[in-house]
Amino acid sequence: MAALGRFAAGRSVGYNHAFVKAAELNQIRLHDTLRNRLEPLEPVHKGEVRIYTCGPTVYDFAHIGNFRTFVFQDVLRRFLRSHGYRVLQVMNLTDVDDRIIQKSAAAGVSIREYTEKYIEAFLEDMRALNLEMPEEMVRATDHIEDMVTLIERLQQKGLTYTSEGSIYYRISKFPAYGKLSKIDLSGIKAGARVDNDRYEKDDARDFALWKAPKPGEHFWETRIGPGRPGWHIECSAMSMKYLGETLDIHTGGVDLTFPHHENEIAQSEAATGKPFARIWLHAEHLIIEGEKMSKSLGNFFTLRDLFAKGQKPSSIRFLLLSVPYRRQLNFTMEGLKQAENSVERLRNFVRRLKEEKFAGGENPAIHKRAEKAESDFDAGLADDLNTAVALAAVFDLVRDINTAMDRKEFRQQDAPRLIAAMEKFDAVLAVLVDDDHDKLRKLGFGAAQRQLPVEQIEALVEERQLAKKRRDFKRADEIRKQLADSGIILEDTKDGGVRWKQK
Ligand code: AMP
Ligand code: ZN
């Protein structure tokens, strides 16, 4: 198989619901761009949701606007898994297009060699943001044969024509064209340009399925002639190959609605005669100073730009997921700071649950409170992935339980219940594990600060507690300083213990 096997995680298995009974899970409803309304999720295959995700064009590092869309897709798949669904998600890597061909030619390397570096970087960035690997990550250049076969099917149905060696899709033969984007194309006259193709077409709205080779540029020798695929055919061919002719969910950023997804529908539905995707989800843009973040505008941050400024992966993930996907996300450094504080608040809460000693017994009201938060969290996400509602449920719980602890209403046996609730939330949020520093170090950031392994930190904290007990304050201070030099801050807890955290 041409998939990038070493990245394919295999099919995912559903979560075991130790804490939420199936009856309490809400029906998932998602906003379908095509019908412009909320639709209940009803997968084609029982218990399994098949998702196609337009992946990155790997000619450069992805920016955090791109990752807004990828984080939304991760929240989607994690949430589906929390409902017990198996997920089969395919993400393509566009490793051939005009820019890639030009840039690799300019660098004097093959397309493969040129894109390899950016694919590796993309996978590293995904890991940094705790994005689950799709079950299949597939490269366009490994699927040329599938694209050629699909183009042949369209040719047999009389939907194409050839001009100067390129093959075009004749849009006038697909009456439903425009149904996704609701765009009125009647005003676009022959000769006007709706894309960047510099080829002769019968109608300006037609798009290239296959592009004739240009002198000195890379091409494939195939049954339909020499050349290279258009971008749109890539996604139709790869999605149907792995997911079947009707997918459950197709996702991307709003800029892909037209022409990319409109063209995917025209290609797939004309070839198969079946609906291509049951639900189309489009994420609104991340904007910066009122404009879409994009490479062409030059107003972008890559993840690495932010890491170099000392920002943590978990703060970035939290910020990107905190705004529901159908609302624009206005990126600011202030927002990132708030996201960091929010993550810290959650982590401190779990630490408190694990470390503080409470009076024995159990308080049924606390259990009820946890149950309500879980149910609100699920209801929020089931309502078209409303992460704002889901996060409000989590933070309200944290506030109420902290208050209950301070008032001594919290009992020791309530702690595991609350820890379980937090873990359940984190199956979707994925920000609780305190591994930012390790991740940054691995990526070559923050190496200047000496880092200590966790066991050594714990041993030093323990030794300091003992030193204090025997009133050896000199040694206790030495240890505090040694830890501070490694970026570890100590905080005394109310019950006379101590907890540490990384600066
Ligand atoms: P590309 O690599 O340009 O094909 O984009 C990869 C994904 O990022 C696509 O789903 C785009 O729609 C999405 N995208 C691009 N710019 C932004 C942005 N500023 N905010 C959110 N998503 C974006
Ligand atoms: Zn696509």
Side-chain angles (χ1 to χ4, degrees):
M1 181 157 64
L4 299 179
R6 74 202 145 107
F7 305 124
R11 291 199 184 190
S12 56
V13 285
Y15 276 96
N16 173 16
H17 296 290
F19 313 111
V20 173
K21 290 173 235 88
E24 291 167 9
L25 295 172
N26 296 279
Q27 163 73 56
I28 299 174
R29 298 189 315 150
L30 298 166
H31 182 270
D32 173 33
T33 310
L34 185 73
R35 283 167 288 188
N36 193 20
R37 61 172 193 232
L38 288 177
E39 288 293 329
L41 175 69
E42 282 156 3
V44 177
H45 302 86
K46 197 170 179 306
E48 178 171 277
V49 184
R50 299 190 175 188
I51 308 172
Y52 185 79
T53 296
C54 292
T57 310
V58 283
Y59 71 103
D60 203 344
F61 295 103
H63 58 65
I64 56 164
N66 301 134
F67 280 110
R68 197 265 156 125
T69 294
F70 296 127
V71 167
F72 136 69
Q73 287 151 357
D74 186 63
V75 168
L76 169 68
R77 58 167 288 138
R78 284 172 175 271
F79 179 58
L80 295 175
R81 270 152 53 67
S82 82
H83 267 235
Y85 284 112
R86 284 188 311 280
V87 168
L88 178 52
Q89 182 188 14
V90 175
M91 183 191 282
N92 69 308
L93 298 164
T94 301
D95 63 349
V96 53
D97 84 339
D98 288 333
R99 288 163 299 191
I100 291 172
I101 288 177
Q102 279 154 20
K103 283 181 179 250
S104 58
V109 296
S110 67
I111 291 182
R112 202 82 182 181
E113 205 177 321
Y114 183 80
T115 54
E116 191 68 46
K117 171 177 160 198
Y118 296 111
I119 291 178
E120 284 302 326
F122 181 67
L123 294 170
E124 274 174 4
D125 287 355
M126 284 185 75
R127 283 190 284 269
L129 288 181
N130 287 348
L131 299 184
E132 290 185 343
M133 285 294 152
E135 284 61 31
E136 301 283 354
M137 290 268 267
V138 287
R139 293 177 198 248
T141 55
D142 286 333
H143 295 78
I144 302 293
E145 170 63 26
D146 302 292
M147 300 179 210
V148 167
T149 306
L150 183 56
I151 294 171
E152 285 175 331
R153 272 173 92 177
L154 294 170
Q155 283 178 326
Q156 282 152 19
K157 296 198 168 194
L159 288 149
T160 67
Y161 60 93
T162 303
S163 166
E164 298 182 351
S166 293
I167 305 173
Y168 294 94
Y169 187 103
R170 195 183 292 284
I171 287 191
S172 57
K173 296 255 173 153
F174 186 69
Y177 194 83
K179 69 176 175 177
L180 181 73
S181 52
K182 283 93 188 157
I183 240 160
D184 178 11
L185 290 166
S186 56
I188 300 177
K189 297 186 188 66
R193 283 256 283 271
V194 286
D195 61 26
N196 297 324
D197 291 335
R198 278 164 271 132
Y199 300 93
E200 277 311 306
K201 296 184 272 189
D202 289 359
D203 184 328
R205 303 173 308 168
D206 294 341
F207 60 92
L209 296 163
W210 188 254
K211 299 181 175 186
K214 291 190 209 141
E217 290 188 352
H218 189 89
F219 66 94
W220 282 263
E221 200 62 73
T222 71
R223 292 191 299 279
I224 53 173
R228 59 196 160 88
W231 170 36
H232 317 299
I233 197 71
E234 170 190 326
C235 287
S236 282
M238 287 155 79
S239 57
M240 294 197 293
K241 171 172 181 154
Y242 293 98
L243 301 175
E245 293 183 343
T246 300
L247 340 166
D248 294 311
I249 302 178
H250 195 312
T251 67
V254 278
D255 55 306
L256 299 189
T257 316
F258 181 83
H260 185 51
H261 291 162
E262 199 71 71
N263 292 350
E264 281 188 43
I265 291 177
Q267 294 164 156
S268 299
E269 297 195 352
T272 67
K274 297 179 189 158
F276 177 44
R278 288 197 164 183
I279 295 182
W280 288 88
L281 299 183
H282 289 103
E284 260 300 339
H285 282 144
L286 179 147
I287 56 167
I288 182 160
E289 287 156 26
E291 278 192 298
K292 177 193 169 196
M293 180 173 282
S294 78
K295 298 267 166 55
S296 50
L297 293 172
N299 60 351
F300 65 93
F301 289 117
T302 64
L303 273 192
R304 286 142 211 262
D305 294 335
L306 293 179
F307 294 160
K309 289 177 189 286
Q311 303 295 342
K312 296 178 186 166
S314 61
S315 331
I316 300 169
R317 178 177 170 98
F318 186 92
L319 176 64
L320 295 182
L321 66 73
S322 63
V323 177
Y325 77 97
R326 288 212 299 135
R327 276 193 230 151
Q328 276 193 344
L329 191 161
N330 186 21
F331 177 84
T332 61
M333 284 297 171
E334 178 52 32
L336 199 50
K337 183 76 210 154
Q338 282 170 15
E340 182 178 358
N341 292 341
S342 300
V343 172
E344 200 52 41
R345 191 163 158 72
L346 298 179
R347 289 177 180 175
N348 281 339
F349 179 63
V350 174
R351 245 177 244 138
R352 188 171 186 191
L353 286 168
K354 289 185 175 166
E355 290 169 14
E356 207 165 308
K357 296 283 163 280
F358 306 98
E362 198 176 48
N363 180 350
I366 297 279
H367 286 240
K368 273 226 164 62
R369 183 65 192 83
E371 217 160 275
K372 176 173 180 335
E374 285 179 347
S375 144
D376 291 350
F377 182 82
D378 186 74
L381 292 177
D383 180 16
D384 198 25
L385 300 178
N386 193 329
T387 47
V389 169
L391 286 175
V394 176
F395 283 95
D396 286 352
L397 177 73
V398 170
R399 192 199 51 229
D400 289 354
I401 299 298
N402 272 323
T403 306
M405 287 168 165
D406 294 344
R407 290 190 187 146
K408 312 277 178 229
E409 291 162 8
F410 193 87
R411 299 281 175 271
Q412 194 58 47
Q413 281 170 37
D414 299 331
R417 177 67 186 84
L418 264 295
I419 291 170
M422 294 303 286
E423 283 173 355
K424 182 166 183 301
F425 302 144
D426 204 50
V428 177
L429 304 177
V431 292
L432 277 184
V433 178
D434 194 352
D435 56 2
D436 291 298
H437 286 266
D438 287 347
K439 283 176 173 165
L440 289 175
R441 214 176 44 245
K442 275 200 197 116
L443 288 169
F445 297 93
Q449 199 169 56
R450 215 154 37 86
Q451 300 285 329
L452 292 178
V454 171
E455 309 80 68
Q456 201 177 335
I457 297 170
E458 305 261 333
L460 282 166
V461 171
E462 177 77 42
E463 192 195 334
R464 180 172 164 274
Q465 287 296 82
L466 293 173
K468 269 172 51 180
K469 244 188 208 147
R470 59 172 198 272
R471 309 189 62 77
D472 181 355
F473 296 113
K474 186 165 164 287
R475 178 68 190 138
D477 278 351
E478 263 172 26
I479 294 174
R480 178 184 279 279
K481 167 130 194 359
Q482 185 184 350
L483 289 169
D485 288 347
S486 301
I488 306 296
I489 308 169
L490 299 177
E491 284 174 356
D492 294 319
T493 58
K494 287 183 184 151
D495 62 353
V498 69
R499 66 167 163 249
W500 61 270
K501 63 180 189 184
Q502 203 112 33
K503 224 180 342 206

mmCIF file of all heavy atoms in Angstrom, residues 20-42:
data_model
loop_
_atom_site.group_PDB
_atom_site.id
_atom_site.type_symbol
_atom_site.label_atom_id
_atom_site.label_comp_id
_atom_site.label_asym_id
_atom_site.label_seq_id
_atom_site.Cartn_x
_atom_site.Cartn_y
_atom_site.Cartn_z
ATOM 1 N N VAL A 20 -19.245 7.426 31.889
ATOM 2 C CA VAL A 20 -20.494 7.932 31.337
ATOM 3 C C VAL A 20 -21.244 6.772 30.722
ATOM 4 O O VAL A 20 -20.722 6.061 29.875
ATOM 5 C CB VAL A 20 -20.221 9.002 30.267
ATOM 6 C CG1 VAL A 20 -21.520 9.398 29.586
ATOM 7 C CG2 VAL A 20 -19.585 10.223 30.908
ATOM 8 N N LYS A 21 -22.457 6.578 31.149
ATOM 9 C CA LYS A 21 -23.249 5.493 30.570
ATOM 10 C C LYS A 21 -23.704 5.931 29.181
ATOM 11 O O LYS A 21 -23.976 7.109 28.956
ATOM 12 C CB LYS A 21 -24.457 5.204 31.458
ATOM 13 C CG LYS A 21 -24.064 4.555 32.778
ATOM 14 C CD LYS A 21 -25.264 4.447 33.681
ATOM 15 C CE LYS A 21 -25.059 5.089 35.021
ATOM 16 N NZ LYS A 21 -25.346 6.450 35.221
ATOM 17 N N ALA A 22 -23.809 4.956 28.271
ATOM 18 C CA ALA A 22 -24.133 5.276 26.887
ATOM 19 C C ALA A 22 -25.381 6.154 26.788
ATOM 20 O O ALA A 22 -25.455 7.070 25.984
ATOM 21 C CB ALA A 22 -24.330 4.001 26.097
ATOM 22 N N ALA A 23 -26.353 5.903 27.643
ATOM 23 C CA ALA A 23 -27.618 6.631 27.578
ATOM 24 C C ALA A 23 -27.416 8.132 27.788
ATOM 25 O O ALA A 23 -28.222 8.942 27.340
ATOM 26 C CB ALA A 23 -28.571 6.087 28.619
ATOM 27 N N GLU A 24 -26.335 8.504 28.462
ATOM 28 C CA GLU A 24 -26.138 9.917 28.769
ATOM 29 C C GLU A 24 -25.443 10.671 27.641
ATOM 30 O O GLU A 24 -25.327 11.888 27.700
ATOM 31 C CB GLU A 24 -25.300 10.055 30.042
ATOM 32 C CG GLU A 24 -26.061 9.592 31.260
ATOM 33 C CD GLU A 24 -25.152 9.434 32.463
ATOM 34 O OE1 GLU A 24 -23.982 9.838 32.380
ATOM 35 O OE2 GLU A 24 -25.634 8.895 33.459
ATOM 36 N N LEU A 25 -24.949 9.957 26.643
ATOM 37 C CA LEU A 25 -24.273 10.644 25.555
ATOM 38 C C LEU A 25 -25.314 11.287 24.639
ATOM 39 O O LEU A 25 -26.360 10.710 24.364
ATOM 40 C CB LEU A 25 -23.424 9.649 24.755
ATOM 41 C CG LEU A 25 -22.257 9.026 25.525
ATOM 42 C CD1 LEU A 25 -21.616 7.909 24.708
ATOM 43 C CD2 LEU A 25 -21.217 10.078 25.875
ATOM 44 N N ASN A 26 -25.002 12.466 24.202
ATOM 45 C CA ASN A 26 -25.945 13.197 23.352
ATOM 46 C C ASN A 26 -25.784 12.798 21.890
ATOM 47 O O ASN A 26 -24.700 12.421 21.450
ATOM 48 C CB ASN A 26 -25.674 14.693 23.486
ATOM 49 C CG ASN A 26 -25.947 15.176 24.890
ATOM 50 O OD1 ASN A 26 -27.086 15.428 25.259
ATOM 51 N ND2 ASN A 26 -24.901 15.277 25.710
ATOM 52 N N GLN A 27 -26.858 12.924 21.149
ATOM 53 C CA GLN A 27 -26.776 12.730 19.696
ATOM 54 C C GLN A 27 -25.868 13.824 19.118
ATOM 55 O O GLN A 27 -26.059 15.010 19.404
ATOM 56 C CB GLN A 27 -28.179 12.830 19.089
ATOM 57 C CG GLN A 27 -28.228 13.056 17.591
ATOM 58 C CD GLN A 27 -27.845 11.830 16.775
ATOM 59 O OE1 GLN A 27 -28.425 10.763 16.924
ATOM 60 N NE2 GLN A 27 -26.841 11.987 15.912
ATOM 61 N N ILE A 28 -24.907 13.425 18.315
ATOM 62 C CA ILE A 28 -23.977 14.409 17.747
ATOM 63 C C ILE A 28 -24.615 15.070 16.528
ATOM 64 O O ILE A 28 -25.110 14.388 15.627
ATOM 65 C CB ILE A 28 -22.656 13.737 17.341
ATOM 66 C CG1 ILE A 28 -21.990 13.109 18.573
ATOM 67 C CG2 ILE A 28 -21.709 14.729 16.660
ATOM 68 C CD1 ILE A 28 -20.744 12.304 18.270
ATOM 69 N N ARG A 29 -24.593 16.404 16.528
ATOM 70 C CA ARG A 29 -25.096 17.132 15.360
ATOM 71 C C ARG A 29 -24.003 18.072 14.867
ATOM 72 O O ARG A 29 -23.328 18.729 15.663
ATOM 73 C CB ARG A 29 -26.362 17.913 15.736
ATOM 74 C CG ARG A 29 -27.477 16.964 16.195
ATOM 75 C CD ARG A 29 -28.809 17.643 16.371
ATOM 76 N NE ARG A 29 -28.688 18.896 17.085
ATOM 77 C CZ ARG A 29 -29.510 19.927 16.889
ATOM 78 N NH1 ARG A 29 -30.492 19.844 16.013
ATOM 79 N NH2 ARG A 29 -29.340 21.044 17.582
ATOM 80 N N LEU A 30 -23.840 18.099 13.556
ATOM 81 C CA LEU A 30 -22.765 18.894 12.965
ATOM 82 C C LEU A 30 -23.327 19.780 11.860
ATOM 83 O O LEU A 30 -24.286 19.386 11.168
ATOM 84 C CB LEU A 30 -21.695 17.952 12.389
ATOM 85 C CG LEU A 30 -21.003 17.046 13.416
ATOM 86 C CD1 LEU A 30 -20.224 15.936 12.726
ATOM 87 C CD2 LEU A 30 -20.082 17.863 14.331
ATOM 88 N N HIS A 31 -22.710 20.935 11.676
ATOM 89 C CA HIS A 31 -23.204 21.861 10.656
ATOM 90 C C HIS A 31 -22.667 21.497 9.278
ATOM 91 O O HIS A 31 -21.462 21.617 9.005
ATOM 92 C CB HIS A 31 -22.822 23.303 10.995
ATOM 93 C CG HIS A 31 -23.366 24.254 9.990
ATOM 94 N ND1 HIS A 31 -22.670 24.630 8.861
ATOM 95 C CD2 HIS A 31 -24.566 24.872 9.906
ATOM 96 C CE1 HIS A 31 -23.411 25.443 8.132
ATOM 97 N NE2 HIS A 31 -24.566 25.611 8.756
ATOM 98 N N ASP A 32 -23.570 21.068 8.414
ATOM 99 C CA ASP A 32 -23.192 20.670 7.065
ATOM 100 C C ASP A 32 -23.244 21.885 6.137
ATOM 101 O O ASP A 32 -24.294 22.527 5.996
ATOM 102 C CB ASP A 32 -24.187 19.590 6.599
ATOM 103 C CG ASP A 32 -23.981 19.227 5.142
ATOM 104 O OD1 ASP A 32 -22.828 19.273 4.689
ATOM 105 O OD2 ASP A 32 -24.977 18.883 4.479
ATOM 106 N N THR A 33 -22.110 22.213 5.533
ATOM 107 C CA THR A 33 -22.047 23.386 4.653
ATOM 108 C C THR A 33 -22.997 23.231 3.467
ATOM 109 O O THR A 33 -23.627 24.196 3.030
ATOM 110 C CB THR A 33 -20.611 23.564 4.107
ATOM 111 O OG1 THR A 33 -19.696 23.518 5.197
ATOM 112 C CG2 THR A 33 -20.444 24.875 3.368
ATOM 113 N N LEU A 34 -23.124 22.013 2.948
ATOM 114 C CA LEU A 34 -23.937 21.796 1.748
ATOM 115 C C LEU A 34 -25.412 22.137 2.000
ATOM 116 O O LEU A 34 -26.028 22.860 1.234
ATOM 117 C CB LEU A 34 -23.794 20.339 1.293
ATOM 118 C CG LEU A 34 -24.482 19.988 -0.013
ATOM 119 C CD1 LEU A 34 -23.740 20.584 -1.192
ATOM 120 C CD2 LEU A 34 -24.571 18.484 -0.188
ATOM 121 N N ARG A 35 -25.974 21.595 3.068
ATOM 122 C CA ARG A 35 -27.387 21.866 3.351
ATOM 123 C C ARG A 35 -27.568 23.095 4.233
ATOM 124 O O ARG A 35 -28.688 23.496 4.526
ATOM 125 C CB ARG A 35 -28.034 20.630 3.998
ATOM 126 C CG ARG A 35 -28.335 19.559 2.942
ATOM 127 C CD ARG A 35 -28.678 18.246 3.562
ATOM 128 N NE ARG A 35 -27.482 17.626 4.148
ATOM 129 C CZ ARG A 35 -27.449 16.394 4.625
ATOM 130 N NH1 ARG A 35 -28.531 15.660 4.622
ATOM 131 N NH2 ARG A 35 -26.323 15.897 5.112
ATOM 132 N N ASN A 36 -26.451 23.639 4.693
ATOM 133 C CA ASN A 36 -26.444 24.827 5.545
ATOM 134 C C ASN A 36 -27.340 24.668 6.771
ATOM 135 O O ASN A 36 -28.141 25.526 7.103
ATOM 136 C CB ASN A 36 -26.862 26.066 4.735
ATOM 137 C CG ASN A 36 -26.570 27.344 5.501
ATOM 138 O OD1 ASN A 36 -25.740 27.336 6.427
ATOM 139 N ND2 ASN A 36 -27.248 28.431 5.168
ATOM 140 N N ARG A 37 -27.201 23.520 7.423
ATOM 141 C CA ARG A 37 -27.945 23.316 8.674
ATOM 142 C C ARG A 37 -27.293 22.192 9.481
ATOM 143 O O ARG A 37 -26.440 21.464 8.965
ATOM 144 C CB ARG A 37 -29.398 22.973 8.368
ATOM 145 C CG ARG A 37 -29.567 21.707 7.573
ATOM 146 C CD ARG A 37 -31.023 21.306 7.450
ATOM 147 N NE ARG A 37 -31.079 19.950 6.950
ATOM 148 C CZ ARG A 37 -31.808 19.567 5.895
ATOM 149 N NH1 ARG A 37 -32.557 20.425 5.246
ATOM 150 N NH2 ARG A 37 -31.798 18.312 5.510
ATOM 151 N N LEU A 38 -27.725 22.101 10.741
ATOM 152 C CA LEU A 38 -27.199 21.042 11.598
ATOM 153 C C LEU A 38 -27.776 19.706 11.152
ATOM 154 O O LEU A 38 -28.971 19.611 10.872
ATOM 155 C CB LEU A 38 -27.585 21.298 13.051
ATOM 156 C CG LEU A 38 -26.864 22.437 13.761
ATOM 157 C CD1 LEU A 38 -27.422 22.600 15.165
ATOM 158 C CD2 LEU A 38 -25.360 22.188 13.827
ATOM 159 N N GLU A 39 -26.922 18.711 11.087
ATOM 160 C CA GLU A 39 -27.353 17.380 10.673
ATOM 161 C C GLU A 39 -26.927 16.378 11.736
ATOM 162 O O GLU A 39 -25.802 16.454 12.248
ATOM 163 C CB GLU A 39 -26.656 16.989 9.354
ATOM 164 C CG GLU A 39 -27.150 17.737 8.145
ATOM 165 C CD GLU A 39 -28.585 17.388 7.784
ATOM 166 O OE1 GLU A 39 -29.009 16.238 8.020
ATOM 167 O OE2 GLU A 39 -29.287 18.279 7.265
ATOM 168 N N PRO A 40 -27.785 15.407 12.058
ATOM 169 C CA PRO A 40 -27.344 14.352 12.978
ATOM 170 C C PRO A 40 -26.285 13.491 12.299
ATOM 171 O O PRO A 40 -26.373 13.248 11.088
ATOM 172 C CB PRO A 40 -28.622 13.544 13.242
ATOM 173 C CG PRO A 40 -29.523 13.853 12.105
ATOM 174 C CD PRO A 40 -29.170 15.208 11.584
ATOM 175 N N LEU A 41 -25.302 13.082 13.057
ATOM 176 C CA LEU A 41 -24.269 12.214 12.480
ATOM 177 C C LEU A 41 -24.821 10.796 12.361
ATOM 178 O O LEU A 41 -25.167 10.165 13.359
ATOM 179 C CB LEU A 41 -23.032 12.215 13.388
ATOM 180 C CG LEU A 41 -21.926 11.242 12.964
ATOM 181 C CD1 LEU A 41 -21.256 11.698 11.677
ATOM 182 C CD2 LEU A 41 -20.893 11.089 14.067
ATOM 183 N N GLU A 42 -24.919 10.324 11.136
ATOM 184 C CA GLU A 42 -25.381 8.949 10.901
ATOM 185 C C GLU A 42 -24.423 8.276 9.927
ATOM 186 O O GLU A 42 -24.581 8.371 8.711
ATOM 187 C CB GLU A 42 -26.815 8.958 10.330
ATOM 188 C CG GLU A 42 -27.853 9.199 11.412
ATOM 189 C CD GLU A 42 -29.155 9.781 10.890
ATOM 190 O OE1 GLU A 42 -29.296 9.950 9.656
ATOM 191 O OE2 GLU A 42 -30.029 10.071 11.731
#
